[in-house]
Amino acid sequence: MSIRSALDDDSLDKEISERTIRIQGPRGASIVLVVGLLRDLNITSEDVDALASGPPGSNAYDVVFREKDKCGSFLKYLNKGARMYKDFDYEFSMFGRLIVTL
């Protein structure tokens, strides 16, 4: 087994990253609220392979879809890439793209 840095191109699975979205929540967001948001947007556990929260304090959540087509159609459905849920604004983007809030 070889050890690589966390962001090494060889250690990233391109196929998985192509079916992963990043949800950026505000302060006070939680993974429980993100699951509720996904359910509200008609995403079920059948659609999702994995769900992970980012580094502590980042309020970033990664959602890995089972199918690339479902991931793409979900982002297309969102259009502008943002939704409000339970008084919190969430922004959606493809994995690997950075959302910068000014």
Side-chain angles (χ1 to χ4, degrees), residues 27-86:
R27 179 175 290 199
S30 70
I31 201 159
V32 172
L33 288 174
V34 169
V35 168
L37 170 62
L38 290 170
R39 285 183 178 159
D40 205 46
L41 293 169
N42 298 315
I43 300 299
T44 69
S45 59
E46 309 296 315
D47 300 318
V48 175
D49 213 6
L51 178 64
S53 60
S58 72
N59 296 320
Y61 305 90
D62 295 331
V63 181
V64 182
F65 283 82
R66 291 186 195 274
E67 299 173 9
K68 182 180 174 182
D69 290 343
K70 180 71 175 190
C71 179
S73 64
F74 177 69
L75 281 176
K76 194 174 278 189
Y77 162 76
L78 287 173
N79 192 15
K80 298 277 185 201
R83 285 291 187 273
M84 181 172 266
Y85 180 74
K86 304 269 183 184

